[in-house]
Amino acid sequence: MRVLITGGAGYIGSTVASACLDAGIAPVILDSLVTGRREFAEGRVFYEGDISDGTLIDKIFAENPGIEAVIHCAALIVVPDSVADPIGYYRANVAKSLEFVDHLIRNGCTRMIFSSSASIYRTGEDHTVDEDSPLDPMSPYARTKAVCEAMFADIAATRPIKILSLRYFNPIGADPKMRTGLQLRRPSHALGKMIEAYEDRVPFQITGTDYPTSDGTGIRDYVHVWDLAAAHVAALQRFDELTVNVINLGTGAGTTVRELVEAFNRVVGRPIEVVEAAARPGDVAGAYTRSDLARRLLDWQAGYSVEEGIGHSLEWARLRESRLGQST
């Protein structure tokens, strides 16, 4: 099997590409390198360009006959940035995705897996959700994902393409073989900020302490990026058998920010200190999945623990500059 992966030089896309290779699936990478890294595409069929470039998409399909599916990971993903620049986020995540799907249909591609997000859910009092939970995205980033899902459903209803949305919870970790990891030196999510605080020997800021959770801090379902990648392989292998359009990908366990700090301190030899700060624009209390749909339909469940994800993230952080330099 051959698969086109958009955003395949980014954190998740490159890890998915590695999992595909390990499973005997040949990835073809398309990435604009706005946030992706050329190094993550080394040794792989790679095209630098934009998903909305119809001429380039036509070229990719002409030069790579046998592409059976697409995994669409290309997107801007930073919540506070989306609050500051909603036009840029809607253009990159929605408008360009619309053009991209049109190009796929023209080239006869009938299968697409979409990287969606659990941030589109409205969470209940217990902070759990399943695929049937109501949607209530609270940031421009999250709304772009919800809009894309609805747009794709409308398109798939009348055009010859089937689109499966995989709603990710919160990826952590790195490829266990250390082929790829977070490309950003200073990532904006909680674990990235913890590693930054640890390296700089400064306190870690807990942003938001009055959420309706057990300890007042946000709650997330931290799923190892390699587990996410394995789910994509399983979805490719079972794609034609699936009768659903949405599947959650999470561990089924919630971890608050304070609990993540405790787990981090269990992994490292020198514990980090914490200080409290106001919530960031667009941040929400969070949620975790209570669904076992992925296990039933994909024969998939998360295998790595939060501590293992933290350990792999730290290992990658030590290797990152030797792989990518200090440019980001």
Side-chain angles (χ1 to χ4, degrees), residues 122-130 133-134 169 212-214 219-221 252-256 285-291:
R122 177 193 303 163
T123 60
E125 291 184 2
D126 65 354
H127 301 289
T128 66
V129 294
D130 61 25
S133 295
F169 282 75
T213 61
S214 60
I219 191 167
R220 302 289 186 268
D221 189 332
T255 302
T256 67
Y288 58 99
T289 185
R290 62 172 178 265
S291 170

Side-chain angles (χ1 to χ4, degrees), residues 3-251:
V3 59
L4 172 62
I5 304 177
T6 69
Y11 171 47
I12 294 176
S14 64
T15 310
V16 170
S18 293
C20 286
L21 281 168
D22 290 355
I25 299 169
V28 177
I29 308 302
L30 170 61
D31 201 297
S32 65
L33 301 184
V34 170
T35 58
R37 297 295 300 233
R38 189 180 302 275
E39 297 92 333
F40 288 169
E42 288 178 359
R44 300 170 183 183
V45 178
F46 171 60
Y47 293 84
E48 180 179 353
D50 198 279
I51 60 172
S52 63
D53 184 342
T55 301
L56 176 58
I57 303 303
D58 293 345
K59 178 182 178 182
I60 290 171
F61 276 88
E63 294 180 352
N64 299 273
I67 291 177
E68 297 182 33
V70 169
I71 298 175
H72 181 23
C73 297
L76 300 178
I77 63 169
V78 180
V79 169
D81 289 354
S82 77
V83 175
D85 182 23
I87 291 176
Y89 266 66
Y90 276 97
R91 178 177 293 121
N93 292 0
V94 178
K96 291 187 177 183
S97 290
L98 175 60
E99 294 299 317
F100 178 60
V101 171
D102 192 27
H103 303 324
L104 295 183
I105 293 169
R106 184 178 66 251
N107 280 281
C109 182
T110 61
R111 303 175 182 90
M112 188 176 91
I113 295 172
F114 174 56
S115 298
S116 191
S117 171
S119 64
I120 69 177
Y121 284 118
R122 177 193 303 163
T123 60
E125 291 184 2
D126 65 354
H127 301 289
T128 66
V129 294
D130 61 25
E131 288 83 356
D132 294 321
S133 295
L135 306 184
D136 187 20
M138 300 299 290
S139 70
Y141 159 70
R143 280 188 282 275
T144 66
K145 292 296 186 178
V147 169
C148 278
E149 282 200 18
M151 178 175 73
F152 293 152
D154 287 342
I155 292 168
T158 60
R159 303 299 294 275
I161 189 168
K162 177 181 177 181
I163 301 173
L164 170 68
S165 293
L166 298 180
R167 291 177 180 163
Y168 305 168
F169 282 75
N170 294 77
I172 59 172
D175 177 354
K177 296 179 181 179
M178 293 297 127
R179 289 169 287 192
T180 57
L182 271 172
Q183 68 271 45
L184 300 175
R185 185 169 183 269
R186 301 289 186 180
S188 61
H189 60 64
L191 180 54
K193 290 294 185 182
M194 285 181 202
I195 294 174
E196 180 180 337
Y198 178 78
E199 291 176 340
D200 294 346
R201 294 178 177 268
V202 299
F204 165 72
Q205 281 195 344
I206 296 180
T207 52
T209 59
D210 59 355
Y211 291 116
T213 61
S214 60
D215 59 23
T217 64
I219 191 167
R220 302 289 186 268
D221 189 332
Y222 293 104
V223 58
H224 198 292
V225 69
W226 189 253
D227 284 329
L228 281 182
H232 286 73
V233 171
L236 284 172
Q237 294 169 336
R238 294 167 172 78
F239 192 92
D240 291 341
E241 306 166 14
L242 298 176
T243 57
V244 300
N245 299 318
V246 172
I247 298 177
N248 285 350
L249 297 182
T251 66

